Amino acid sequence: MVDQDRIIKINIEEEMKSAYIDYSMSVIVSRALPDVRDGFKPVHRRVLFGMNELGNTSDKPYKKSARIVGEVLGKYHPHGDSSVYYAMVRMAQRWSLRYPLVDGQGNFGSVDGDSPAAMRYTEARLSKMAEEMLRDIDKDTVDFQLNFDDTLKEPTVLPTRIPNLLVNGASGIAVGMATNMAPHNMSEVLDGCIAYIDSRGEIDVEGLMEYVKAPDFPTGATIYGYAGVKDAFETGRGRVILRGKAEIEFENNHEKIVITEIPYLVNKAELIKHIADLVNEKRLDGISNVNDESDRTGMRIVVDIKRDANSSVVLNKLYKLTALQSSFSVNNIALVNGRPRQLNLKDQIKAFVDHRQEVVMRRTRFELKKAEERAHILEGLIIASDNIDEVIAIIRASTNPQEAIDNLMNRFSLSEIQARAIVEMRLRQLTGLEQSKLRAEYEEVEKLIAYLKEILENEDLCMQVVKDELQEVKDKYGDERRTEIIYASEELNPEDFYADDEMIITISHMGYIKRTPLSEFRAQGRGGVGAKGSETRDEDFVEYIYPASMHATLLIFTARGKCYWLKVYEIPEGTKNAKGRAIQNLLNIEAGDRIQAFIRVKKLTTDIDFINSHYLLFCTKKGVIKKTLLEAYSRPRQNGVNAITLREDDGLIQVKMTNGDNEVIIANRNGRAIRFHESKVRTMGRTASGVRGMTLDDDKTDEAVGMITIKDKEAETILVVSEQGYGKRSHIEDYRITNRGGKGVKTIQITDKTGKLVTIKNVTDENDLMIINKSGITIRMKVADINVIGRATQGVRLINLGKRHDEIASVCKVLTENDEKIAEEKAERDALQEMAIHESGLPTDVDPTDPTSANTDSQEENEDLNQE
């Protein structure tokens, strides 16, 4: 019966719910989340309080860390020595806290992630700033509570003069919630607090952001973009992008990237190891060596760049692939009146200022009480000094001290406290000098009492005291911001570092890319043997060459119909004989895919009118053509987008930009070409397949080899080149206009001597021709040297292949440049050309003769092609 009475039946569901809520609230309140007032979790507060109780202050010798841990562990924090020690260690690490609160001596770890020495080897004491957080703790400024065994008392919060939650931040994982608060600059935060006081709390978050600019991290670095900072200040949540500080240095004609600051909480050793791993895995090209040259004077990570590499591209890759650029996710959750709350900037400042106001009020009451007690005693002492002879007589006549106290109380109407003070008064106070000091002290105490009472009665004066103390802290501990702010990522414009020169972009068959200044290629006469243009691997050969200016954006289209984006200056520069860089290191191109076309646009993302009035015209080797608005390709993505949906066994061969009113000519391998107006192709969507542009022969080897768009019918001629180096120019009017989808007309007489057709170009006498064969031989010739002859003729030899059994790999037209002209004439010509093109609404590096159209539904285009 007794056993049955001891068993209490409960609902297990309710018990688990209640127990888990109790556990989670204990974790939230007593372990994981900081208090909004002093910014501390209980363990940090207990460590500082315990050190203060030990007398382990900044003006005393260091004490063994084990001594401190034992004090805190035995009296206040019974949760394990490692939790106490590592909490103290973190408060001593200058790379962890913006303003360290513990002055450590010995090995307290490193930014490389090294562990601190055991607590028996290290020593510590409070920093001066920590003492500001404990100041006035003995003046009844904060509430105390019993410790874990009810034998001692510990503070529930510290009476800090420093807004620690903002200046040092906090992080912690509770149950069902977490906090991650960024550190800020002391001077900025205190200026914000003072501005809040001056506005009587009326200032908004935007106004406070004029003082508190952004987080300020102990490791410096750079905040890249301001949107996340603004979100964090306004809502309490935001994502701050951090970039390490890196500069490109030149030494002995050798470039190197020197990293002097890294993002907050990034492990330096792991960062260097990750860079080395990326190089070894061939995911990061252009780096020859990485050294850590950091010492006690500062951080210095040196990344040596290969001679043929572009340092800016490598640095961008480091930002992209490593923790050199990382993010800090702000989540401002702290305890407000014992409950977790998400706080914006104003909430945090208000909570701190309110706390300081309460501390000042409680301190004032404590000091007023002490002052009144002293004034009461001084009144009694003054009475005694005025009647010193009688007082001495009463004391001498009394048999014991208590009788003397009672007699004095009766004679002079004194309180017991006053009478006791008189009895215990020393004989030296009977001198005239000491009596005058009593009266002076009494007057001072009376003034202090009046001042303290005014603070309690006048809120404005109380807030002025708070403000003055904050200003004093700022003057003592305020410093310069370490973390720089780039308010918008666009402000870091790499184009400022590159002249807008004309380049030749070269891509080999195996996917190596480089840019070479146009001036490196010298003009040669027709029929010459040519100059060595590119060093390639034995099985490789140069396949594509394109002109482009340095500031242009390249839309890169692959044979599988994908579109990628790349700035010309991001392509590594190489000499005419250099191999180039594997394009996989610059773009995320799929294995087995290859580049087919470039489109150059000066302002792809900013010139809205241009991208909405121009089109991209696609042509595939099966003779399919598609027209899409350029705007559909104006949103760059890291992994590219599908530019066209291709059918089986088809591949993209050419992409042209048009203005919507151009004529198109498509040529096939068997030497025919078809001419039609682009209006015959309606505008389609980005993922559409397109419609038939040209009907190919049924020999299963025929395919389209090129597509051109016509701008100036009078000045332009059609140039075709065959495999064996034969080519010719013909008038455009030799090709009659037909509907799309036909077989076209003969454009060159195909024989065994000429070989199959390789390419078709529209050229003028002002163009030069760049011809590259599969062995890497390059020749540059003037188009004016090639005669205009009939459409159906065989043509003339353009390049002498000799007995090498070689074939033409690629043909490209470029503008002529008279090397003998002086620089002033060239600059004047370029300026005039820039003005003329600007007035026409075209970017300077765009071919104004290319036409295009807009978007449609891909299903309709597929149906059109099937019907044909």
Side-chain angles (χ1 to χ4, degrees), residues 671-673 718 720 728 735 745-749 757 791-793:
R672 289 184 288 103
I718 304 299
V720 289
K728 65 177 178 99
Y735 300 81
V745 296
K746 185 177 292 186
T747 183
I748 189 173
Q749 182 68 40
L757 192 64
R791 169 173 57 80
T793 57

Side-chain angles (χ1 to χ4, degrees), residues 381 384-385 388 391-392 395 420-431 434-435 438:
L381 294 177
S385 66
I388 191 62
V391 167
I392 292 173
I395 294 175
R420 189 176 298 280
I422 293 170
V423 170
E424 294 173 354
M425 184 172 62
R426 294 181 180 182
L427 289 175
R428 72 176 186 182
Q429 290 183 265
L430 300 180
T431 64
E434 289 295 327
Q435 291 182 23
L438 281 177

Side-chain angles (χ1 to χ4, degrees), residues 534-756:
S534 180
E535 288 287 344
T536 60
R537 299 163 68 175
D538 292 341
E539 66 274 21
D540 199 8
F541 58 88
V542 174
E543 190 167 3
Y544 299 103
I545 53 175
Y546 300 96
S549 67
M550 282 284 278
H551 291 183
T553 300
L554 300 184
L555 278 72
I556 302 175
F557 298 91
T558 69
R560 292 182 180 175
K562 291 207 72 172
C563 173
Y564 298 88
W565 293 262
L566 189 67
K567 287 284 191 179
V568 172
Y569 57 74
E570 293 176 331
I571 301 171
E573 182 173 344
T575 63
K576 195 167 56 171
N577 298 327
K579 178 180 69 173
R581 183 79 55 80
I583 202 166
Q584 284 81 358
N585 290 328
L586 303 178
L587 301 172
N588 295 324
I589 294 180
E590 299 172 357
D593 205 357
R594 43 192 277 197
I595 302 297
Q596 287 297 102
F598 286 172
I599 295 294
R600 297 144 291 166
V601 184
K602 192 72 171 180
K603 298 177 181 178
L604 179 66
T605 58
T606 57
D607 194 341
I608 305 301
D609 293 338
F610 181 81
I611 62 176
N612 281 292
S613 61
H614 286 72
Y615 306 85
L616 293 183
L617 208 59
F618 298 80
C619 181
T620 74
K621 65 181 182 180
K622 295 295 185 183
V624 174
I625 190 169
K626 188 189 89 159
K627 185 170 75 171
T628 304
L629 196 65
L630 177 61
E631 190 274 338
Y633 302 91
S634 64
R635 291 171 287 278
R637 295 185 194 169
Q638 181 178 341
N639 295 320
V641 297
N642 290 322
I644 182 173
T645 301
L646 297 172
R647 289 174 174 75
E648 190 177 356
D649 298 330
D650 201 358
L652 187 65
I653 62 167
Q654 188 58 271
V655 182
K656 291 287 186 179
M657 181 157 52
T658 71
N659 58 19
D661 189 29
N662 288 119
E663 291 180 357
V664 182
I665 296 180
I666 301 174
N668 72 343
R669 185 171 168 78
N670 288 338
R672 289 184 288 103
I674 183 171
R675 174 186 175 191
F676 57 89
H677 197 277
E678 71 167 293
S679 60
K680 300 293 183 180
V681 185
R682 73 175 185 279
T683 305
M684 307 173 190
R686 177 172 61 82
T687 58
S689 295
V691 293
R692 183 173 288 117
M694 182 180 192
T695 299
L696 304 178
D697 293 339
D698 296 329
D699 59 5
K700 296 185 179 180
T701 63
D702 191 22
E703 59 184 35
V705 296
M707 173 185 71
I708 61 172
T709 52
I710 302 166
K711 340 172 192 177
D712 188 347
K713 296 178 186 178
E714 301 298 326
E716 290 182 334
T717 54
I718 304 299
L719 171 74
V720 289
V721 180
S722 69
E723 290 175 335
Q724 296 303 317
Y726 284 81
K728 65 177 178 99
R729 296 167 64 196
S730 305
H731 290 295
I732 292 174
E733 293 306 324
D734 290 349
Y735 300 81
R736 69 177 186 273
I737 296 179
T738 63
N739 286 323
R740 67 169 175 83
K743 284 205 166 188
V745 296
K746 185 177 292 186
T747 183
I748 189 173
Q749 182 68 40
I750 297 297
T751 64
D752 292 340
K753 181 180 177 182
T754 62
K756 297 286 188 177

Side-chain angles (χ1 to χ4, degrees), residues 46 130 133 160 234 295 333 345 350 370 391 478 491 528 532 609 624 631 671 675 781 802 806 815:
R46 287 165 176 168
M133 297 184 172
T160 175
E234 291 179 346
D295 56 23
I333 292 180
L345 177 62
K350 178 181 185 301
K370 292 291 183 184
V391 167
E491 292 182 10
K532 190 72 174 175
D609 293 338
V624 174
E631 190 274 338
R675 174 186 175 191
M781 65 174 61
D806 210 349
L815 293 176

Side-chain angles (χ1 to χ4, degrees), residues 27-217:
V27 172
I28 290 169
V29 175
S30 303
R31 187 180 303 174
L33 297 186
D35 192 294
V36 70
R37 295 169 292 177
D38 63 1
F40 285 124
K41 301 176 190 177
V43 63
H44 301 99
R45 189 180 299 119
R46 287 165 176 168
V47 168
L48 296 184
F49 180 69
M51 293 175 74
N52 190 59
E53 292 295 290
L54 267 177
N56 192 19
T57 53
S58 62
D59 56 344
K60 304 280 185 11
Y62 293 92
K63 290 186 185 296
K64 279 286 186 185
S65 297
R67 172 76 176 85
I68 299 166
V69 171
E71 176 82 4
V72 175
L73 194 67
K75 291 184 176 180
Y76 310 112
H77 195 77
H79 291 292
D81 57 354
S82 61
S83 65
V84 176
Y85 182 52
Y86 287 119
M88 186 188 79
V89 164
R90 186 175 182 275
M91 288 192 288
Q93 293 174 337
R94 52 187 172 77
W95 60 90
S96 293
L97 259 65
R98 180 64 177 83
Y99 300 93
L101 303 175
V102 171
D103 179 10
Q105 182 169 264
N107 175 14
F108 277 79
S110 74
V111 74
D112 289 327
D114 299 319
S115 298
M119 68 180 80
R120 61 183 178 274
Y121 299 121
T122 60
E123 297 178 338
R125 62 185 178 187
L126 289 172
S127 71
K128 289 185 177 180
M129 197 169 296
E131 292 175 5
E132 294 290 347
M133 297 184 172
L134 292 155
R135 195 165 166 182
D136 299 330
I137 197 169
D138 55 350
K139 294 183 178 179
D140 193 31
T141 50
V142 294
D143 293 332
F144 278 71
Q145 63 186 10
L146 292 171
N147 69 341
F148 60 89
D149 61 1
D150 293 349
T151 58
L152 297 167
K153 285 193 172 183
E154 61 175 326
T156 58
V157 67
L158 297 186
T160 175
R161 292 191 177 195
I162 293 170
N164 183 58
L165 189 64
L166 273 165
V167 301
N168 273 328
S171 64
I173 301 173
V175 178
M177 64 186 67
T179 185
N180 201 35
M181 308 182 78
H184 295 78
N185 181 267
M186 174 87 74
S187 298
E188 292 181 1
V189 171
L190 292 175
D191 284 341
C193 293
I194 291 170
Y196 176 86
I197 294 171
D198 289 339
S199 71
R200 297 177 179 270
E202 296 298 320
I203 191 171
D204 58 7
V205 173
E206 188 174 351
L208 289 170
M209 286 168 62
E210 294 181 10
Y211 302 94
V212 187
K213 306 293 184 184
D216 188 24
F217 296 96

